[in-house]
Amino acid sequence: MTVSVLSFTNVEEAARALSSEQDARVLGGGTLLMRDVNEGDQTFQKLIRLTDPRLREIRVEGNRIVIGAGATMSDVIRSRDLSFLEAPARAVGGPAIRNMATVAGNLFAEPPYGDFATALLALGATVEPVGSSPVSIDDFLRDRRRFDGRIVRSVSIERPRDANALRWLKVTRIKPKGVAVMSIAAYLSQTEPPRVAYGNMGPSPVRAEAVERALAGGSLNEAGIRDALAVATQGLNPPTDALASEWYRREVAPVHLRRLLLGEAA
């Protein structure tokens, strides 16, 4: 398999090239795409490589933080403005992977990858594709195929009023850097409605809306979370794969959700 690489220093030019090339993929960090190349994937013949420095920027705009789509997990970890996202970023592979894995790559990654997108979903992020209006991450992930063949410019999030409001847990069979059986992110603010998201419990990260409703207005103690645990997987369709069965995921989800809500997760 011969794959040609087209390099662009301007993201808008790269987006135009991608729209005109039917057999092209965008090369970000390459942690997943280069595996496809090495395995001889025949669905594409060209890689579009972006070197636009704007894609690595992390900047504050008012009460929002804008994260360039090309920012890596290591960039996130180093950013003082994103200290509340350090744990989800560190959950992505080992140091070498974190130096390459990008924010946009996590948005498009299929299970069991893309843990960082689960945290962004819990935070209610906004995704900005090149050439179109920003879209909520809920809508982006719900219909992710619609954005195939598009380049994401950035992701923005409102700065949490409480830096400790985001809670994160990755469940893996191999520590410290195995792929996730499931991941759970919960944004639990005293002044805003709760948002709870699961990774690897569907074809993309998904909100646990029944859990959110059960938690609203309650206390984070054994009594206050009892109803939330009872509906831990309600409305979800966990997969059966090489890592775990649907039954197993449904059985252990309340256990790990309890640990997260009570602050017992490591």
Side-chain angles (χ1 to χ4, degrees), residues 5 18 28 38 108 133 152 163 190 198 231:
V5 180
L18 181 62
N38 293 333
F108 286 101
S133 301
V152 170
Q190 295 182 350
Y198 288 105
V231 295

Side-chain angles (χ1 to χ4, degrees), residues 36-247:
D36 294 338
V37 172
N38 293 333
E39 292 178 351
D41 191 325
Q42 299 293 314
T43 62
F44 58 94
Q45 299 296 324
K46 300 181 182 70
L47 296 178
I48 291 181
R49 180 171 177 264
L50 295 164
T51 59
D52 190 331
R54 294 175 295 174
L55 294 178
R56 293 284 297 269
E57 291 181 352
I58 299 173
R59 63 185 186 277
V60 177
E61 294 184 354
N63 66 340
R64 298 190 70 81
I65 304 173
V66 180
I67 311 170
T72 67
M73 297 301 100
S74 294
D75 292 334
V76 171
I77 292 168
R78 286 192 293 265
S79 172
R80 293 183 180 179
D81 293 311
L82 295 176
S83 58
F84 54 92
L85 279 171
E86 180 177 350
R90 286 195 181 278
V92 178
I97 294 295
R98 291 194 291 269
N99 283 337
M100 301 296 292
T102 64
V103 170
N106 269 257
L107 290 177
F108 286 101
E110 301 286 347
Y113 306 104
D115 294 316
F116 191 73
T118 305
L120 293 176
L121 179 58
L123 288 168
T126 298
V127 180
E128 184 183 356
V130 175
S132 64
S133 301
V135 60
S136 73
I137 192 169
D138 300 69
D139 291 340
F140 181 92
L141 293 173
R142 188 179 299 115
D143 191 15
R144 189 161 55 178
R145 292 298 183 192
R146 181 164 61 93
F147 296 93
D148 283 351
R150 303 287 297 277
I151 294 176
V152 170
R153 184 191 305 277
S154 64
V155 173
S156 66
I157 49 179
E158 186 170 345
R159 184 191 294 273
R161 295 187 178 95
D162 177 3
N164 297 316
L166 180 67
R167 300 188 184 185
W168 166 261
L169 174 64
K170 178 177 178 178
V171 182
T172 179
R173 296 183 184 276
I174 302 173
K175 296 184 180 297
K177 55 184 180 179
V179 294
V181 172
M182 72 176 62
S183 54
I184 312 175
Y187 182 63
L188 305 170
S189 169
Q190 295 182 350
T191 58
E192 299 169 83
R195 287 177 63 99
V196 180
Y198 288 105
N200 298 325
M201 292 289 277
S204 65
V206 62
R207 294 262 301 280
E209 295 181 354
V211 173
E212 294 172 353
R213 290 191 295 269
L215 289 174
S219 300
L220 295 177
N221 53 35
E222 290 281 5
I225 68 172
R226 186 176 297 118
D227 290 343
L229 300 183
V231 295
T233 61
Q234 182 176 308
L236 304 183
N237 187 24
T240 291
D241 54 27
L243 294 171
S245 66
E246 174 186 359
W247 173 86

